[in-house]
């Protein structure tokens, strides 16, 4: 696990269920958790029928927990 002063990098594919398409997921990752987010690929249309997804490169001090991403989606 990284120390408090060490920035860590992580690549993830984040699936966004249809019910959460209007949630500010990326904004929450940045503002609530202080992460730097680089979107490397995405599919999430305004009129999408199913789930969408983002390929993200995250950088920050507290990336170790997948719970951070879940909280960013669900609020």
């Amino acid at each position: 696990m990284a120390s408090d002063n060490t920035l860590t990098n992580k690549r993830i594919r984040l699936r966004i269920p249809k019910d959460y398409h209007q949630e500010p997921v990326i904004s929450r990752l940045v503002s609530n958790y202080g992460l730097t987010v680089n979107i490397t690929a995405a599919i999430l249309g305004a009129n999408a029928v199913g789930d969408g997804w983002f390929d993200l490169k995250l950088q920050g001090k507290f990336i170790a927990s997948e719970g951070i991403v879940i909280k960013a989606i669900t609020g």
Side-chain angles (χ1 to χ4, degrees):
M1 177 169 262
S3 70
D4 288 348
N5 294 324
T6 302
L7 292 179
T8 56
N9 294 294
K10 186 163 185 98
R11 290 181 179 268
I12 65 168
R13 172 162 284 182
L14 178 61
R15 185 181 63 87
I16 308 294
K18 183 174 176 25
D19 293 342
Y20 292 98
H21 281 195
Q22 298 302 314
E23 297 296 319
V25 176
I26 304 299
S27 176
R28 286 182 183 150
L29 288 171
V30 173
S31 62
N32 293 357
Y33 302 102
L35 299 178
T36 299
V37 178
N38 183 18
I39 302 169
T40 58
I43 295 179
L44 187 66
N47 297 318
V49 176
D51 296 346
W53 57 266
F54 292 105
D55 280 348
L56 303 175
K57 182 178 176 185
L58 305 175
Q59 182 180 45
K61 294 182 181 179
F62 305 106
I63 296 176
S65 172
E66 290 181 16
I68 287 174
V69 175
I70 293 168
K71 288 179 187 177
I73 295 172
T74 61

